[in-house]
Amino acid sequence: MLTSILVSGLGLGSMYGLVALGFHVTYAVSGTVNFAQGSVVTLGAVLAYALGVTLGWPMPAAIVLALAGCALFGLVVERALVRPFVARGSDAWLLATVAGGIVLDNTALFTFGKEPRSLPSPLATKPVEILGTGIYPLQLVIPVVGIALAFAIRTVFRRTDLGRVLLAVAQNADAARLMGIDVRRTVACAFALSAVLAGIAGLLIAPLFSVSAELGTLFGIKAFAVAILGGIGSATGVILAGLLYGLVEAGVTATLGSTYTQLVVFSVIILALTLRPDGLLGRAAVNKV
């Protein structure tokens, strides 16, 4: 049972961390987040199913186009649901992005239907036995991919021109604008990247959980909780919190049953935030007076 808890916990935790990393990217660059992030998890899975299974396209092409669709949705969210309100100094983008997620979920429901469907994957057809526990190969691949992507994004931020531009905008948007950086385009790129991360998470978990219009709803809520728990301004903290969250969730489910999972896990989060209000690796904001 311990092997199953570790594998499923690390797998789910890395996906929570991946989606939460999208919250971190947009928050770090613009001070805003996309509360439709969970819906983008659904979008990635639904588009891949529609293109790869319903239309019969090659699955690699379906995956690429599904992620492109997620990126496009991220751009639309930034342009239509975030930028106009930020320009007016309003926090209404909070509700606007929530509403955008609801619209996307219901669009998926009306076009895709209510019935969950299986997204085929050669890595989720036959379990392999590890220490007496049957585990799908995809369950081993998921944490590897999630953690690798997290480190890849850290590398992009620290060692590439795009990363330096994102960091410049995050540190001082006005100064970056004076240096010739297109701040609006940079923020839009951050939202597109955030949506792609959520789409990848949807593609990875869909073969194990089935594709449905509600796939990402609770997933997005948990990911945002992970982002806050880790310290939304810290990429490392977000990933660490995701892994810890996944392990605790898997442990509670295995020992107490799924009935108590959300009760216990969110109680632990409340306790953790009481002790560490800024998150595991977050830093309190410094206000100059």
Side-chain angles (χ1 to χ4, degrees):
M1 184 173 73
L2 180 60
T3 303
S4 177
I5 291 174
L6 287 174
V7 172
S8 61
L10 290 176
L12 278 175
S14 62
M15 291 300 95
Y16 293 143
L18 195 60
V19 179
L21 196 61
F23 286 118
H24 160 75
V25 169
T26 57
Y27 180 81
V29 174
S30 67
T32 61
V33 295
N34 177 12
F35 283 107
Q37 190 81 332
S39 302
V40 185
V41 174
T42 301
L43 179 63
V46 168
L47 285 178
Y49 184 93
L51 296 172
V53 178
T54 305
L55 297 181
W57 291 15
M59 191 54 70
I63 289 173
V64 170
L65 289 175
L67 293 179
C70 292
L72 179 61
F73 180 76
L75 292 174
V76 170
V77 167
E78 190 279 330
R79 182 64 184 86
L81 305 181
V82 175
R83 187 187 302 180
F85 300 106
V86 172
R88 294 197 296 266
S90 170
D91 291 330
W93 56 266
L94 289 161
L95 182 57
T97 55
V98 172
I102 294 173
V103 170
L104 181 59
D105 287 339
N106 281 274
T107 300
L109 179 64
F110 293 141
T111 57
F112 186 75
K114 294 182 179 180
E115 294 299 321
R117 307 176 198 182
S118 176
L119 183 67
S121 171
L123 299 177
T125 55
K126 185 178 180 181
V128 296
E129 187 172 323
I130 298 179
L131 299 177
T133 303
I135 295 170
Y136 289 109
L138 183 58
Q139 291 177 279
L140 301 175
V141 171
I142 284 176
V144 174
V145 172
I147 295 173
L149 284 172
F151 278 105
I153 288 180
R154 285 194 64 188
T155 302
V156 167
F157 266 85
R158 294 186 175 188
R159 305 198 175 199
T160 67
D161 291 338
L162 174 60
R164 295 185 186 97
V165 168
L166 291 171
L167 287 175
V169 173
Q171 291 172 2
N172 192 318
D174 292 332
R177 191 177 290 107
L178 291 173
M179 294 296 294
I181 295 175
D182 190 331
V183 173
R184 288 185 175 181
R185 182 177 297 178
T186 302
V187 173
C189 287
F191 271 82
L193 175 60
S194 172
V196 168
L197 293 175
I200 292 173
L203 291 171
L204 287 172
I205 65 173
L208 299 174
F209 287 83
S210 297
V211 182
S212 71
E214 300 176 348
L215 174 66
T217 303
L218 187 57
F219 209 88
I221 295 173
K222 292 179 180 179
F224 185 68
V226 164
I228 299 301
L229 179 62
I232 195 169
S234 169
T236 303
V238 165
I239 294 300
L240 177 61
L243 295 175
L244 291 175
Y245 186 103
L247 289 171
V248 171
E249 182 178 82
V252 172
T253 302
T255 55
L256 300 179
S258 59
T259 304
Y260 297 95
T261 300
Q262 310 309 329
L263 173 64
V264 174
V265 173
F266 278 95
S267 296
V268 171
I269 288 177
I270 293 172
L271 176 61
L273 290 176
T274 301
L275 299 175
R276 295 280 303 177
D278 299 306
L280 297 178
L281 298 182
R283 295 181 181 179
V286 178
N287 295 320
K288 295 182 180 181
V289 296

